[in-house]
Amino acid sequence: MKREDIRNIAIIAHVDHGKTTLVDELLKQSGTFRSNQVVQDRVMDSNDIERERGITILAKNTAVFYNGAKINIIDTPGHADFGGEVERVLKMVNGVILVVDAFEGAMPQTKFVLRKALDLDLPVIVCINKIDRPEARPQEVIDEVLELFIDLDASEEQLDSPFIYASAKKGVAVLEMGDTPESMQPLFETIINYIPAPEGDPDANTQVLISTIDYNEYVGRIGVGKVDNGTIKVNQEVVLVNAHDPNKNQKVKISKLYEFEGLKKVEVNEATIGAIVAISGIPDIHIGDTICSPENPEPIPFQKISEPTIAMDFIVNDSPFAGQEGKYVTSRHLRDRLFKELNTDVSLRVEETETTESYKVSGRGELHLSVLIENMRREGYEFAVSKAEVLYKYDEKGKKLEPIERAYIDVPDEFSGTVIEKLSQRKGELQGMANGSGGYTRLEFLIPARGLIGYRGEFMTDTKGNGILNTIFDGYGPYKGDIQYRKQGSLIAFETGEAITYGLFNAQERGTLFISPGEKVYSGMIVGQNGKSEDIEVNVCKRKQLTNTRSSSSDEALRLTPPRILSLEQALEFIETDELLEVTPTNLRMRKKILD
Ligand code: GDP
């Protein structure tokens, strides 16, 4: 049976290219919202941090209706740290929409997800968005996207992908640039005509591969997946087949079944081929499990979860001031919260250590762990973290292997020399260099993950905030030997009220301080360029005073998103306001240490 009434698509876009606006508009125009219901929240990016950092971390589902067909839209994480998630999402769909900004053109994050979609032979609809922008250059961007397809070894068919021009903001799409824009209808039509309907036998044995896990305080774990075969019904007896270990198979009864409508889950009694369903009431459901009918239960092969490559210790805050900022300070709090995270994040690993004061948390990259840290701190958890360390492996011969990342970098031409020099020192190997558009150079490196630890701040300083650095896990490779950093300055971190200010004091050009708000530290630290961190005397007491006096500068720090570069003069002005003078001795000590 072909389910002409369903289309399952994933949406791929670089940050800010308009994915959220586009989905909002599809929802509005499909009448999925009643007319008196206003779309208040942005649809896709539901997590605060996702919104602030402009990255999607977890896949989310939306469904819209068009001419009697239901279009399930699944958001895809654009960042490589969440690579495992991307592949699992793409297994649920029959095609993707690639959204590209008509001015900015194709970007590295887009390329990363597109590569996965092309590898899976998924049809692609290219949506050139923001054509209303005065500087839009849609024809050039189309050429760039086609080049990207060629770069990624797209098949003939994939090279024939339909292009569509849209202004998500104005709610219109057209098939040719000269057409009169009216609504999103051309995009809806292209989805229906170009993306294949899911197919299968509704009477076959049931098979639903659980691709993501949602979690809700009231109903607990919720498995989300596509019905690949047969039909699933409430009250049906099924076997939950574990992807790796048949001893872990469980017999369960389906108690609650949902499908997506708009942004909501609605209860249904049964669902068949091609439907994307959510299932609650099975406490022990995991990503990779296949729900099967009891006769001849066969699991669906499952995309392996990316292994952690980086670890940090999460340490109980034992300072006498603990608890003044956050609600949760004990080891028990920390432990419960970390283990709860494992419910929804399969790429994360949490291990106990010899002491109950500290837990070892391993994840897919620095970003992966920093998002967790930030989320927890916002929820009111107070804890300290150690410096990130990479996880080594050993091959059969006992040779040491380390995680290697592929870094894609776009920098203004004048900074490419510095970036190449710095990354070479960090054992990066230049793989490619090309002229990008608008005075930018594009660089590609293979570099040990440990070479990138702490590099982002330095990179931002070196490129005056104009560089773009994207990394993708490439695999484990032979250990590249010790990295000798030239001592060039130190990254310092200290808190001003709610924001953390951290700066790279560069010994050669002591002129810049990089300020980035958002992340809180609970003790000050200096991270030297040798990668070693030292504690400094920015203590919790000072922090508290600062919090109480809520200086205007902390507000300003909060407003400084995205991070920007200040001159030393500006930076000092920024730090040494009246309220902040209280920390001057510490500042001086810090600066002395740094400049020594
Ligand atoms: P996402 O990060 O891909 O989800 O991007 P958003 O949907 O959040 O859009 C990023 C920014 O681009 C927002 O400020 C939008 O208002 C803006 N934007 C989105 N679509 C358009 C468009 O068609 N035209 C213009 N001019 N701006 C747009």
Side-chain angles (χ1 to χ4, degrees):
M1 183 176 80
K2 212 168 178 181
R3 287 294 299 270
E4 285 298 348
D5 60 333
I6 295 185
R7 295 294 183 283
N8 293 328
I9 58 170
I11 187 156
I12 304 175
H14 189 75
V15 174
D16 273 351
H17 284 195
K19 175 166 67 177
T20 313
T21 313
L22 187 77
V23 176
D24 280 349
E25 207 52 46
L26 293 176
L27 274 163
K28 271 191 233 164
Q29 295 194 21
S30 68
T32 312
F33 288 104
R34 269 168 307 217
S35 55
N36 62 351
Q37 209 177 342
V38 186
V39 191
Q40 268 172 350
D41 279 328
R42 313 296 311 283
V43 175
M44 288 292 198
D45 299 340
S46 55
N47 169 311
D48 280 351
I49 298 195
E50 295 191 6
R51 219 168 305 158
E52 278 167 34
R53 294 207 174 201
I55 46 168
T56 304
I57 297 160
L58 294 171
K60 279 170 284 274
N61 298 64
T62 315
V64 302
F65 294 91
Y66 180 78
N67 271 357
K70 177 184 213 173
I71 304 170
N72 283 305
I73 304 173
I74 309 177
D75 200 7
T76 31
H79 195 280
D81 270 11
F82 311 103
E85 189 92 10
V86 172
E87 279 150 7
R88 290 194 303 272
V89 166
L90 294 180
K91 285 280 172 66
M92 283 198 270
V93 302
N94 303 98
V96 300
I97 300 183
L98 174 70
V99 179
V100 184
D101 184 308
F103 169 67
E104 283 194 4
M107 299 294 268
Q109 285 187 16
T110 334
K111 182 172 174 181
F112 160 71
V113 188
L114 180 63
R115 179 195 311 253
K116 305 226 168 204
L118 294 177
D119 285 351
L120 290 169
D121 270 334
L122 291 172
V124 180
I125 297 173
V126 181
C127 176
I128 306 292
N129 188 35
K130 306 199 190 182
I131 52 166
D132 60 290
R133 283 180 72 168
E135 14 18 345
R137 42 178 196 101
Q139 287 314 330
E140 278 169 58
V141 167
I142 285 191
D143 290 343
E144 282 172 28
V145 173
L146 281 174
E147 253 172 56
L148 188 62
F149 273 70
I150 293 166
D151 253 17
L152 295 172
D153 292 327
S155 65
E156 294 276 309
E157 244 167 76
Q158 289 166 332
L159 284 173
D160 257 347
S161 297
F163 279 82
I164 198 152
Y165 306 87
S167 165
K169 196 168 173 182
K170 299 198 163 155
V172 293
V174 289
L175 297 174
E176 303 282 345
M177 270 310 272
D179 293 356
T180 316
E182 279 171 6
S183 67
M184 280 291 169
Q185 194 188 359
L187 180 56
F188 279 119
E189 291 287 339
T190 309
I191 295 172
I192 300 292
N193 296 333
Y194 190 69
I195 306 294
E199 264 182 275
D201 178 1
D203 298 320
N205 287 335
T206 313
Q207 276 183 313
V208 181
L209 173 65
I210 300 303
S211 303
T212 51
I213 293 283
D214 209 349
Y215 182 82
N216 170 313
E217 292 294 336
Y218 303 102
V219 300
R221 294 169 71 87
I222 304 167
V224 178
K226 185 182 68 174
V227 183
D228 277 296
N229 250 319
T231 302
I232 181 166
K233 296 180 183 153
V234 170
N235 290 330
Q236 184 184 357
E237 305 270 354
V238 295
V239 182
L240 200 58
V241 182
N242 185 287
H244 311 292
D245 184 355
N247 293 324
K248 290 193 179 150
N249 293 358
Q250 322 165 40
K251 276 202 166 141
V252 288
K253 193 164 153 178
I254 301 295
S255 60
K256 284 210 172 183
L257 189 66
Y258 316 78
E259 284 197 37
F260 294 86
E261 262 180 35
L263 304 172
K264 298 202 193 77
K265 296 189 189 78
V266 293
E267 276 196 66
V268 294
N269 283 323
E270 64 171 70
T272 185
I273 298 299
I276 295 191
V277 293
I279 299 153
S280 67
I282 309 175
D284 215 12
I285 194 163
H286 295 276
I287 289 184
D289 290 347
T290 309
I291 293 185
C292 301
S293 21
E295 48 286 350
N296 195 17
E298 251 184 72
I300 294 175
F302 163 64
Q303 182 61 44
K304 241 183 83 197
I305 289 159
S306 336
E307 291 201 17
T309 52
I310 237 165
M312 272 181 183
D313 289 330
F314 283 42
I315 307 152
V316 173
N317 183 0
D318 57 0
S319 104
F321 300 98
Q324 302 207 353
E325 273 294 299
K327 293 178 279 188
Y328 310 115
V329 291
T330 67
S331 162
R332 177 101 229 155
H333 288 142
L334 191 60
R335 184 184 191 284
D336 289 352
R337 179 61 185 82
L338 286 173
F339 280 91
K340 183 178 145 205
E341 188 69 17
L342 296 177
N343 278 327
T344 48
D345 188 343
V346 280
S347 321
L348 198 75
R349 199 159 69 201
V350 180
E351 292 158 274
E352 318 234 349
T353 61
E354 304 90 73
T355 91
T356 56
E357 299 293 287
S358 165
Y359 298 88
K360 182 174 174 188
V361 182
S362 311
R364 262 292 307 127
E366 259 187 310
L367 180 70
H368 184 195
L369 294 183
S370 72
V371 166
L372 172 65
I373 293 168
E374 220 169 292
N375 264 329
M376 287 176 62
R377 289 195 168 143
R378 281 175 202 214
E379 291 164 24
Y381 290 84
E382 260 187 61
F383 54 98
V385 293
S386 70
K387 189 170 122 15
E389 278 178 9
V390 304
L391 299 167
Y392 296 105
K393 276 188 182 175
Y394 294 87
D395 67 8
E396 315 86 62
K397 294 190 195 108
K399 284 208 191 85
K400 189 168 176 181
L401 305 175
E402 66 174 329
I404 308 285
E405 304 274 333
R406 196 172 277 273
Y408 297 93
I409 293 166
D410 286 279
V411 282
D413 297 339
E414 68 260 41
F415 304 127
S416 59
T418 314
V419 170
I420 292 174
E421 193 192 322
K422 291 271 177 82
L423 285 182
S424 308
Q425 275 170 28
R426 291 165 171 266
K427 302 276 177 190
E429 285 163 20
L430 187 63
Q431 303 290 303
M433 181 167 171
N435 288 331
S437 51
Y440 272 67
T441 305
R442 209 156 252 209
L443 306 169
E444 187 178 329
F445 278 90
L446 279 175
I447 179 165
R450 76 198 143 96
L452 288 169
I453 293 179
Y455 176 66
R456 270 170 207 276
E458 197 176 322
F459 174 76
M460 293 310 276
T461 308
D462 286 347
T463 62
K464 304 230 183 312
N466 292 315
I468 301 170
L469 166 64
N470 278 281
T471 58
I472 293 170
F473 178 56
D474 197 70
Y476 271 83
Y479 181 69
K480 296 262 189 288
D482 291 347
I483 296 178
Q484 303 286 336
Y485 296 103
R486 242 198 282 144
K487 192 160 171 58
Q488 266 161 339
S490 299
L491 181 75
I492 58 158
F494 53 96
E495 245 186 31
T496 56
E498 292 183 8
I500 160 182
T501 304
Y502 54 93
L504 182 82
F505 277 77
N506 193 303
Q508 289 161 352
E509 337 155 15
R510 273 185 259 138
T512 51
L513 174 65
F514 172 57
I515 295 192
S516 164
E519 199 175 335
K520 279 187 175 183
V521 283
Y522 282 77
S523 57
M525 62 178 178
I526 293 183
V527 184
Q529 292 306 291
N530 57 4
K532 288 205 177 108
S533 59
E534 299 169 47
D535 287 331
I536 50 161
E537 290 136 293
V538 177
N539 59 36
V540 186
C541 172
K542 292 280 186 267
R543 181 166 63 81
K544 183 146 193 317
Q545 286 168 4
L546 289 174
T547 312
N548 288 344
T549 53
R550 271 304 289 278
S551 67
S552 59
S553 53
S554 69
D555 287 335
E556 194 177 340
L558 283 172
R559 266 190 278 116
L560 282 173
T561 24
R564 74 169 212 240
I565 303 291
L566 305 179
S567 70
L568 187 61
E569 279 76 15
Q570 283 172 319
L572 289 179
E573 200 180 309
F574 182 85
I575 298 166
E576 292 172 356
T577 60
D578 284 348
E579 289 94 338
L580 287 164
L581 275 180
E582 291 184 58
V583 286
T584 303
T586 316
N587 279 350
L588 287 179
R589 262 207 298 283
M590 283 195 313
R591 283 181 49 210
K592 183 162 177 308
K593 252 192 188 171
I594 292 155
L595 300 178
D596 273 348

